[in-house]
Amino acid sequence: IKARHPLIDPKTVVANDYHLKDPQRTLLITGPNTGGKTVSMKIIGLFVLMSYCGMPVTCEEAVLPYFDRVFADIGDDQSVVESLSSFSSHIQKQAEVCREATGDSLVMLDEVGSGTDPREGESLAIAILNELRKRGCMTIATTHYSRLKAYGKRHDDILVSSVQFDMEKLMPTYRYMEGFSGSSNAFAVAQRYGLPSS
C-alpha cells in the first residue's frame, strides 16, 4: 500500500498500491512507452528482495509471500562477444525460467516476447506465460502486445493493469491502475522526442 521507490526523491516520488489476490498469480502491466511499467515491476521485485534482507520497505503496509527464487529478465544484455542479440539474450533467460521456476518462485519479465517478429513474439509470450501459469509461479510481466492484453483479460488468474500517461503534456504520470489495459502511445512519445511529423 502506497509503495514508493526508495531511490526517488520522497518529495516527487509517486506512491502506488499493488495487489495480487487469489486466484490471480500473474500481473500483466500494460501502457505507454516511458510510462512506468518497468518501474512498477522493479518496485515490487526490489521490495521482495529488500524484505528478505531485513530492510524496511518504503510503503504504508506490505504483505509479501516467501519465494524460493526470484527470476528477472529486465533490460537488454545483448553481447557481440557472446553472439547474443537482444532477442537471444531475452530468450536465453526466459528458457532458464521455464526450466527452473517453481510454484514458489517470483518471475519478472520485462517486455516478454519482444525483439523479434511481433506475431511470433506474441505467440512466444503467451506460451511462456502459459508455462509459468501451469507451474503456479507468481509472475509479473510487461507488454505492448495487443494479443497478450486480450489473453490476460480472458483468464481469471491474470490481473491486467496499466500505467497512466498525460496526453496533454506527453509525459508519464507513473500512476498504476489495476483492471485496465493501456495503449502504447508510440506516436505521441515519438513526437515528444522530436521525430518529425512527416
Side-chain angles (χ1 to χ4, degrees), residues 26-38:
T26 300
L27 175 60
L28 186 61
I29 307 174
T30 67
N33 298 289
T34 73
K37 295 184 301 298
T38 305

Side-chain angles (χ1 to χ4, degrees), residues 10-198:
K11 295 175 189 152
T12 59
V13 70
V14 176
N16 287 294
D17 297 348
Y18 302 99
H19 304 96
L20 267 184
K21 296 178 182 174
D22 284 333
Q24 297 164 337
R25 300 281 299 166
T26 300
L27 175 60
L28 186 61
I29 307 174
T30 67
N33 298 289
T34 73
K37 295 184 301 298
T38 305
V39 172
S40 284
M41 182 170 54
K42 285 180 176 179
I43 288 170
I44 297 166
L46 182 61
F47 277 20
V48 166
L49 296 176
M50 286 172 65
S51 69
Y52 289 0
C53 294
M55 299 170 71
V57 293
T58 47
C59 62
E60 288 185 5
E61 179 183 342
V63 177
L64 300 164
Y66 175 76
F67 296 109
D68 59 1
R69 288 182 71 182
V70 176
F71 294 90
D73 180 20
I74 303 171
D76 191 344
D77 291 337
Q78 63 176 299
S79 169
V80 174
V81 175
E82 296 181 31
S83 298
L84 287 176
S85 67
S86 294
F87 175 73
S88 58
S89 70
H90 285 298
I91 209 68
Q92 183 180 57
K93 290 178 189 173
Q94 292 165 12
E96 176 189 358
V97 169
C98 288
R99 285 191 312 268
E100 298 185 19
T102 72
D104 294 319
S105 298
L106 173 63
V107 177
M108 296 179 293
L109 303 174
D110 195 22
E111 304 295 348
V112 60
S114 66
T116 189
D117 176 280
R119 287 186 182 148
E120 292 181 8
E122 284 177 324
S123 298
L124 274 170
I126 290 169
I128 289 167
L129 291 183
N130 276 341
E131 176 64 22
L132 298 176
R133 289 172 57 224
K134 184 172 78 176
R135 289 172 175 258
C137 305
M138 188 164 285
T139 304
I140 304 166
T142 66
T143 190
H144 289 286
Y145 290 149
S146 296
R147 275 181 55 208
L148 205 53
K149 295 173 192 178
Y151 160 87
K153 289 180 180 180
R154 286 194 308 269
H155 298 283
D156 292 338
D157 61 328
I158 299 176
L159 174 60
V160 177
S161 63
S162 180
V163 288
Q164 195 177 48
F165 191 77
D166 186 330
M167 290 302 291
E168 287 184 21
K169 295 179 183 174
L170 297 178
M171 297 285 292
T173 67
Y174 298 103
R175 295 266 173 234
Y176 169 85
M177 302 176 302
E178 287 183 359
F180 299 95
S181 66
S183 60
S184 297
N185 297 324
F187 298 118
V189 173
Q191 180 183 23
R192 174 181 170 222
Y193 284 97
L195 188 69
S197 58
S198 59

